[in-house]
Amino acid sequence: MSTKKVEFISSRENECIKRLKKLHDKKYREEFRSFITEGLKLVREAIDYQIECINLVIFSQHAKDRYQEFYWECKRLLEDGKIERVIEVPDKLFEYITTTSTPQGILAECNFVDKGINFIKNLRRVVVANKLQDPGNLGTLIRCADAFGFDAVVTTKGTVDIYNPKTIRATMGSLFHLQIMREAEEGKLIKILKDNSFAVYVATPYGDIEISKIVPDKRFCVVIGNESEGVSDSFAKVATRKIKIPMAGKAESLNAAVAASIVLYELRKR
């Protein structure tokens, strides 16, 4: 059993606190290859599904009292050597490092969980986020992919950072359930999809077949494009099918995350 104990930190000048504050910035997330996840549910999901990625868990003093059962669970994991560090901080110091306006008083620093491009070879159902710009849309897309039984989400270069705090919150923990690849080069991604016999379904309002009429191939990926410009030309050119959602009203299109949820659900049913 480990002899590690819960640490108490009270100064903004502590190196751990400085590091966590820097992780608000993508530049430092890339440098340290780690990110912050916040709140009871998200930290618990990280522990339950990818505990090996956790560097530390922090509790505010208020959260320690409010979530006593979870606090003692983390303390036991620390003593068992399954979590590297558990830290307590004053409430004011937690407010300094948090990325939320109404913090629950619990956060974890986690190492990046994304994989290299070759992992796609072993999958069957993949979702590609192609230059999505809104972190909430990307987070919801990841959550939907998880809910509807897809294997992985891949983001292409030009897509909002998957480790943006708003994206992390919108995933509601699904980031830790799926396989993830981020910032793939479109040409390399298309090649590996084609080399491994993936059908490429492009979601577009101008598609030539309604989603309800698709009979999915054995292996396929679904490409969800940019909120205003849609999918890139490179994906449009190699599309196996261009699929659309039929709409009876006067709206020309749907929010990217809403459209993705409908498309993924329909494909999941088959």
Side-chain angles (χ1 to χ4, degrees), residues 177-195:
H177 305 166
L178 290 168
Q179 299 193 68
I180 299 290
M181 184 195 170
R182 67 193 185 101
E183 300 187 1
E185 293 183 15
E186 291 183 15
K188 289 182 179 179
L189 176 57
I190 289 169
K191 184 177 187 306
I192 201 164
L193 289 169
K194 288 296 187 182
D195 287 350

Side-chain angles (χ1 to χ4, degrees), residues 2 4 14 29 33 55 60 78 88 101 112 122 144 163 166 174-175 182 186 201 223-224 232 243-244 264 270:
S2 171
K4 292 179 180 178
N14 182 279
R29 291 196 293 271
R33 293 196 60 77
N55 292 328
S60 70
L78 174 72
E88 295 175 35
S101 56
F112 283 1
N122 300 317
C144 289
Y163 297 120
K166 292 180 180 178
S174 288
L175 178 73
R182 67 193 185 101
E186 291 183 15
Y201 302 149
V223 185
I224 306 298
S232 64
I243 55 179
K244 64 182 178 182
L264 299 188
R270 290 164 173 73

Side-chain angles (χ1 to χ4, degrees), residues 116-143:
I117 197 167
N118 285 328
F119 87 103
I120 293 172
K121 295 177 181 179
N122 300 317
L123 306 179
R124 289 184 57 243
R125 297 183 170 203
V126 176
V127 183
V128 176
N130 181 214
K131 299 184 180 179
L132 289 179
Q133 296 300 296
D134 183 87
N137 282 342
L138 178 58
T140 301
L141 175 65
I142 293 169
R143 189 178 177 186

Side-chain angles (χ1 to χ4, degrees), residues 27-216:
K27 168 185 156 183
Y28 290 106
R29 291 196 293 271
E30 296 291 344
E31 179 180 332
F32 300 139
R33 293 196 60 77
S34 64
F35 64 101
I36 290 173
T37 186
E38 286 197 51
L40 177 63
K41 175 175 173 53
L42 290 174
V43 175
R44 180 175 287 284
E45 292 293 315
I47 287 173
D48 288 347
Y49 290 92
Q50 296 205 38
I51 192 170
E52 70 282 353
C53 82
I54 296 175
N55 292 328
L56 57 86
V57 178
I58 289 187
F59 289 82
S60 70
Q61 290 178 305
H62 176 72
K64 174 189 172 184
D65 295 334
R66 183 178 181 185
Y67 305 109
Q68 286 188 15
E69 183 178 345
F70 185 59
Y71 171 81
W72 284 104
E73 179 183 343
C74 289
K75 189 171 184 293
R76 286 193 297 272
L77 290 169
L78 174 72
E79 292 168 351
D80 291 344
K82 295 179 179 178
I83 292 179
E84 288 295 316
R85 300 176 74 183
V86 176
I87 298 168
E88 295 175 35
V89 298
D91 294 345
K92 286 293 184 183
L93 186 55
F94 192 93
E95 291 173 6
Y96 173 70
I97 59 175
T98 186
T99 62
T100 64
S101 56
T102 54
Q104 292 184 356
I106 302 171
L107 66 76
E109 180 194 340
C110 302
N111 293 322
F112 283 1
V113 297
D114 52 277
K115 300 178 180 296
I117 197 167
N118 285 328
F119 87 103
I120 293 172
K121 295 177 181 179
N122 300 317
L123 306 179
R124 289 184 57 243
R125 297 183 170 203
V126 176
V127 183
V128 176
N130 181 214
K131 299 184 180 179
L132 289 179
Q133 296 300 296
D134 183 87
N137 282 342
L138 178 58
T140 301
L141 175 65
I142 293 169
R143 189 178 177 186
C144 289
D146 179 22
F148 300 134
F150 283 74
D151 300 319
V153 173
V154 178
T155 69
T156 61
K157 286 186 180 297
T159 302
V160 64
D161 183 17
I162 209 165
Y163 297 120
N164 180 300
K166 292 180 180 178
T167 302
I168 299 294
R169 288 195 292 274
T171 71
M172 291 297 289
S174 288
L175 178 73
F176 300 111
H177 305 166
L178 290 168
Q179 299 193 68
I180 299 290
M181 184 195 170
R182 67 193 185 101
E183 300 187 1
E185 293 183 15
E186 291 183 15
K188 289 182 179 179
L189 176 57
I190 289 169
K191 184 177 187 306
I192 201 164
L193 289 169
K194 288 296 187 182
D195 287 350
N196 288 276
S197 303
F198 278 82
V200 178
Y201 302 149
V202 167
T204 169
Y206 312 106
D208 54 15
I209 185 171
E210 294 182 4
I211 181 60
S212 60
K213 296 177 181 177
I214 281 281
V215 177

